[in-house]
Amino acid sequence: MLPPRRGGPGSPRLLLPWLLLPALWAAGRGQLRYAVPEEAQHGTFVGRLAQDLGLELAELVPRLFRVASKERGELLEVNVQNGILFVNARVDREELCGRSAECSLHLEVIVDRPLRVFHVEVEVEDINDNPPVFRSREQRIFIPENRQVGSRFPLEGAADADRGANALLTYTLSPSDCFALDVRASDELSQSLSLELRKPLDREETPELHLLLTATDGGKPGLEGRAQLLVTVLDVNDNAPVFEQDVYRVHLLETTANGTLVARLNASDADEGLNGEVVFSLGSDVAPNTREKFNIDSSSGEIRVIGNLDYEEEKSYEIQVRAVDKGSPPMSNHCKVLVKVLDVNDNAPELAITSLSLPIREDAPVGTVIALVSVSDRDAGANGQVSCSLPPHLPFKLASTFRNYYSLVLDSALDREATAGYQVVVTARDGGSPPRWATASVWVEVADVNDNAPVFAQAEYTVSVRENNAPGAHICTVSARDADAQENARVSYALVERRVGERALSSLVSVHAQSGRVHALQPLDHEELALLQFQVSARDAGAPARGSNASLQLFVLDENDNAPALLGPAGGGARSHALARSAGAGHVLTKVRALDADSGYNAWLAYELQPAAAGARSPFRVGLYTGEVSTTRALDEADAPRQRLVVLVRDHGEPALTATATLLVSLVDGAPSPKLSARASAGRVGAEASPLDVNASLMVAICAVSGLLVLTLLLWGALRCCGAARSEGACAPGKPVLVCSSAVGSWSSCRQRRPGLCSAEGPPKADLMAFSPGLSPSANLPERSDHSDPSGHVSLTLNLCL
């Protein structure tokens, strides 16, 4: 069984100091740094990550404490229960970083609510786990016996895969009277090792010497490597080739083309003939990758490029060149050509975007982290310095969080209704000349928030419906749109409940919650409700919900559904009247009065006398619009003593409705009553009056009617103004009055309307109808030449809500 290697990772004396290393914040870099030795066993403690980040252990799981991105994720792991970072697998620094001076693992630790990103750097520190190794365990050296004391013979040195002090080699030579070891530092990359002759050689006395070359590294404890030196003493060709320089230094761009001359070496040999002819070759210790890149001409000593150079793969090459003469035995010498590869900006930056908070709510506060952006460039110096930018006019910005790491954060408020999403293109540009660049994009979707209330297509709807409508009749459709999306834009409609008189609004009309269709639930009556004003609300399905209202004015249009109603005794049956046979033409017997509950033309009444029996000519007539029954001529003995008059009252609706009044007139002998005589006298005077008196009376009547019309219009305008400023509430019912002119120009009330129901949400209603004397009442009325009113009349209907 082999004993454990001294100084290995299992040594408790070396492992304990690494476990006690404290976590330090790197100055000016904003990252948490730890150190762990290579070859640490599984479970080795690295650091109390959660504690060093200032996080409570109880909040690690709720806040989704995790490692978002990491290099070589199998090497390190974090325990989310206690927040400890530990070694998960064997870490070999030489395998991980090669011969790089720095070797670190970079982790990104993320916690949510609120979102925070921490950058952790774990430095893998070298331990002395690799002994020095000679490429050849046996080196043969041929030395002519005539070489001068102090001559040096190059030796192949050892290589140590470790770094720092662990790779600092010291060489020792086994005791010898003839030779000493000469070590010279050629530069920072390597050492020149040679065997120095201290005593003249004698081949006959000592043809061969066996020496042991030992290389010890600087680790504690140090590790050793050994190589056998077999020195053969030659008897001829006592001059070896000599190079002009021991070390040649060359700088080449990584874009150098194949066949380019690297260096032309010159080695001189003081011997003559074949002993002075030099052949050049690459040393046996030249690495295979170096042989793939360079070649040397054996006769001229020219070194040329034969492969593609890449700074990112190899930054320098060490070429050992051997010059051998053609003597027998041959003599040789060595020199080194150190080629340093210069970086060229031949690599574009690389971008990676990690989305964290997508989609983003439109009410997200400024500064919200949306995504993480990581950039890298394999070039060096300015060629590898990368800067990131965003296109202009975007509500986002890039915030640098760590070297080559950025956060995409919200820079201004969002509005989904204006822009539903953004195609964010991140551009990374290096500092080379000319610069190289790369892009990466991420779609940032804006999530909707219920920040818009439904908006009606009209703030106020004015519609009309005829009375006596069918229950459930469609009145109109209201429509509202919501600028939000999905549930926040789903609109439902409802009535704004109120009282209409003694009834609830919902008993009269309804609105469909989804379509916004407004229906009348029952038949409406113009005589009871001429105008209905109410509001419809629209609310969305957001949380919290938003809503708005629209006003509706529903005018109930009149239908001719009421027949004229007779007033006075005529309404209950036949009326009897006595008339003296001495009554002359134009004598007023009586006046038939009627009232129609409808409005407008439907309530405009006309009177006519039914024709008498066949062949009989009645001595009576009735005023077309006044209803006054009067004689058309003087009575005589031929007239029947009993007259039966039927007066037909007709409105102007479509179709017209009628009522009849029956008058029984008894013709008696003798003088008429004083009242009737006075009326008859007045009628005769009027009939016998001169044309000048008739015109004067007509002018007075016209002036009176015009004055009353102007007064009525002023009153109507004042009531409209008062009604507009009136607050919501029931409107006191008023009594509409129909004012008619008499045959002589005086005014009297001829009809009264039932009190109307007035809505408090709009101005009171005022209807006015005026007919000038002597003019046809309507172009749509049928002409009745036999029932015309010769005196003319004016009829005004006032329907006022006070």
Side-chain angles (χ1 to χ4, degrees):
M1 179 180 296
L2 295 176
R5 187 193 305 171
R6 292 183 303 161
S11 176
R13 297 178 58 191
L14 292 179
L15 185 59
L16 183 59
W18 299 115
L19 298 177
L20 298 179
L21 285 177
L24 300 176
W25 286 96
R29 299 176 65 181
Q31 65 172 341
L32 194 61
R33 297 193 64 188
Y34 296 101
V36 62
E38 66 171 328
E39 304 293 340
Q41 299 297 325
H42 172 75
T44 300
F45 172 86
V46 178
R48 300 185 182 276
L49 185 57
Q51 179 179 344
D52 296 337
L53 293 176
L55 302 175
E56 295 294 335
L57 297 182
E59 64 179 1
L60 297 183
V61 175
R63 294 185 63 184
L64 302 179
F65 179 76
R66 63 195 183 278
V67 176
S69 63
K70 53 189 177 181
E71 301 172 359
R72 302 293 182 91
E74 72 280 3
L75 301 181
L76 299 175
E77 191 56 69
V78 62
N79 189 328
V80 297
Q81 303 297 329
N82 55 23
I84 293 178
L85 185 66
F86 63 91
V87 176
N88 188 47
R90 172 179 172 269
V91 181
D92 189 343
R93 186 184 187 280
E94 288 72 30
E95 179 183 351
L96 185 64
C97 302
R99 298 188 58 81
S100 176
E102 295 182 1
C103 186
S104 299
L105 296 174
H106 296 275
L107 308 177
E108 286 183 21
V109 179
I110 298 178
V111 292
D112 293 338
R113 296 188 290 271
L115 176 66
R116 296 186 64 188
V117 181
F118 305 94
H119 299 278
V120 180
E121 181 179 357
V122 180
E123 181 181 0
V124 180
E125 301 199 351
D126 184 61
I127 64 172
N128 192 24
D129 59 338
N130 291 282
V133 176
F134 289 90
R135 186 179 297 275
S136 176
R137 302 299 299 270
E138 181 179 285
Q139 299 186 31
R140 290 184 150 298
I141 305 173
F142 298 92
I143 303 176
E145 60 180 346
N146 58 353
R147 290 298 294 269
Q148 299 295 324
V149 174
S151 299
R152 293 179 174 82
F153 307 95
L155 298 177
E156 177 185 355
D160 196 321
D162 295 322
R163 293 295 298 171
N166 296 329
L168 184 62
L169 302 181
T170 57
Y171 295 89
T172 58
L173 188 67
S174 59
S176 174
D177 295 333
C178 298
F179 296 97
L181 188 63
D182 183 26
V183 180
R184 295 182 183 182
S186 57
D187 62 356
E188 69 279 2
L189 296 178
S190 62
Q191 294 176 328
S192 293
L193 192 64
S194 61
L195 198 63
E196 183 179 0
L197 184 62
R198 293 290 184 88
K199 181 181 177 182
L201 298 176
D202 188 355
R203 179 183 174 279
E204 286 70 24
E205 182 181 352
T206 310
E208 288 186 348
L209 289 91
H210 293 272
L211 304 175
L212 181 62
L213 178 63
T214 302
T216 305
D217 62 23
K220 294 183 180 181
L223 300 179
E224 296 179 350
R226 296 179 178 87
Q228 294 288 336
L229 302 180
L230 180 59
V231 180
T232 300
V233 182
L234 302 177
D235 193 34
V236 291
N237 193 19
D238 56 350
N239 290 288
V242 178
F243 286 96
E244 294 179 351
Q245 300 175 224
D246 292 336
V247 178
Y248 295 82
R249 290 179 172 84
V250 181
H251 295 82
L252 295 177
L253 294 175
E254 60 176 326
T255 55
T256 301
N258 291 344
T260 301
L261 177 65
V262 178
R264 182 178 288 106
L265 306 182
N266 184 24
S268 60
D269 194 314
D271 296 325
E272 295 181 354
L274 293 178
N275 293 332
E277 294 182 9
V278 179
V279 176
F280 299 93
S281 63
L282 299 179
S284 59
D285 59 342
V286 175
N289 65 325
T290 304
R291 293 180 180 272
E292 294 174 356
K293 306 295 182 182
F294 303 97
N295 188 26
I296 187 170
D297 187 277
S298 59
S299 59
S300 65
E302 292 182 349
I303 299 177
R304 294 184 180 274
V305 178
I306 61 173
N308 295 327
L309 303 180
D310 191 349
Y311 175 85
E312 289 71 40
E313 291 182 1
E314 194 70 36
K315 297 176 175 57
S316 61
Y317 296 91
E318 181 178 319
I319 306 174
Q320 189 86 3
V321 178
R322 184 168 179 259
V324 182
D325 59 24
K326 295 182 179 180
S328 179
M331 298 192 68
S332 65
N333 204 347
H334 294 76
C335 75
K336 285 184 180 181
V337 179
L338 300 180
V339 178
K340 186 174 183 180
V341 181
L342 302 180
D343 182 54
V344 175
N345 191 25
D346 58 344
N347 291 281
E350 297 179 357
L351 276 169
I353 300 179
T354 303
S355 301
L356 297 178
S357 303
L358 295 179
I360 182 172
R361 289 168 56 93
E362 62 177 319
D363 62 347
V366 174
T368 300
V369 178
I370 300 172
L372 297 179
V373 181
S374 61
V375 296
S376 61
D377 195 312
R378 298 179 60 195
D379 294 321
N383 297 330
Q385 295 177 358
V386 182
S387 60
C388 291
S389 62
L390 294 177
H393 311 302
L394 286 180
F396 309 103
K397 68 177 181 179
L398 288 174
S400 178
T401 57
F402 182 61
R403 179 184 59 188
N404 294 337
Y405 288 91
Y406 296 84
S407 294
L408 181 65
V409 299
L410 185 62
D411 191 39
S412 61
L414 300 175
D415 185 2
R416 190 206 65 84
E417 289 69 43
T419 306
Y422 298 88
Q423 187 71 33
V424 180
V425 179
V426 182
T427 302
R429 191 181 304 272
D430 61 28
S433 180
R436 288 181 173 266
W437 54 273
T439 61
S441 64
V442 60
W443 173 256
V444 180
E445 180 182 357
V446 182
D448 183 55
V449 174
N450 192 25
D451 56 348
N452 290 279
V455 178
F456 280 93
Q458 299 175 223
E460 181 175 337
Y461 293 81
T462 301
V463 295
S464 60
V465 62
R466 291 191 176 275
E467 63 175 332
N468 303 319
N469 55 280
H474 174 245
I475 297 175
C476 68
T477 300
V478 296
S479 176
R481 295 188 61 186
D482 196 308
D484 295 320
Q486 299 176 352
E487 291 297 312
N488 296 331
R490 185 161 55 87
V491 179
S492 60
Y493 304 91
L495 287 177
V496 178
E497 188 61 76
R498 56 178 287 267
R499 302 293 296 179
V500 180
E502 297 181 356
R503 291 178 294 181
L505 176 65
S506 56
S507 66
L508 298 175
V509 293
S510 68
V511 60
H512 192 270
Q514 282 73 40
S515 64
R517 291 171 61 90
V518 181
H519 298 270
L521 297 180
Q522 60 185 14
L524 301 177
D525 189 356
H526 171 79
E527 288 73 38
E528 181 182 349
L529 183 64
L531 173 63
L532 177 61
Q533 292 183 329
F534 58 94
Q535 288 187 327
V536 175
S537 67
R539 295 180 69 82
D540 56 32
R546 291 176 176 268
S548 61
N549 295 342
S551 298
L552 270 80
Q553 294 190 79
L554 176 59
F555 289 93
V556 181
L557 303 181
D558 183 55
E559 290 281 347
N560 191 27
D561 57 347
N562 291 281
L566 296 172
L567 302 179
R575 295 173 56 183
S576 299
H577 296 274
L579 179 62
R581 286 184 179 272
S582 59
H587 178 80
V588 177
L589 174 63
T590 184
K591 186 172 185 177
V592 179
R593 298 177 181 273
L595 178 67
D596 196 312
D598 294 322
S599 299
Y601 286 104
N602 295 329
W604 186 20
L605 302 181
Y607 302 85
E608 61 183 73
L609 194 62
Q610 293 286 48
R617 179 173 179 272
S618 174
F620 299 98
R621 71 170 183 178
V622 64
L624 180 59
Y625 301 111
T626 63
E628 291 183 348
V629 179
S630 61
T631 58
T632 59
R633 58 179 173 81
L635 300 176
D636 53 26
E637 294 297 332
D639 295 320
R642 294 182 63 83
Q643 300 280 340
R644 186 175 183 273
L645 306 179
V646 178
V647 179
L648 180 66
V649 184
R650 184 193 308 271
D651 59 26
H652 286 76
E654 290 292 340
L657 301 178
T658 61
T660 58
T662 303
L663 303 179
L664 299 177
V665 182
S666 299
L667 302 181
V668 297
D669 296 327
S673 63
K675 182 177 180 181
L676 296 177
S677 299
R679 289 190 177 181
S681 301
R684 287 193 299 270
V685 170
E688 298 174 358
S690 64
L692 182 59
D693 295 334
V694 173
N695 291 337
S697 299
L698 184 57
M699 291 299 294
V700 171
I702 291 175
C703 291
V705 170
S706 301
L708 182 59
L709 178 60
V710 173
L711 180 61
T712 303
L713 291 175
L714 292 176
L715 179 59
W716 176 77
L719 290 176
R720 291 283 289 184
C721 294
C722 293
R726 187 172 299 176
S727 61
E728 184 172 348
C731 184
K735 291 187 176 182
V737 179
L738 178 63
V739 182
C740 304
S741 67
S742 65
V744 296
S746 61
W747 296 88
S748 63
S749 174
C750 64
R751 150 168 113 84
Q752 291 186 347
R753 292 288 305 276
R754 288 183 297 171
L757 186 61
C758 185
S759 171
E761 298 181 8
K765 180 180 178 184
D767 296 332
L768 179 63
M769 291 176 52
F771 301 96
S772 301
L775 298 177
S776 174
S778 172
N780 297 326
L781 296 177
E783 296 182 1
R784 297 178 180 269
S785 58
D786 55 338
H787 295 286
S788 60
D789 188 354
S791 63
H793 73 281
V794 175
S795 174
L796 282 81
T797 301
L798 274 70
N799 184 6
L800 303 178
C801 180
L802 302 177

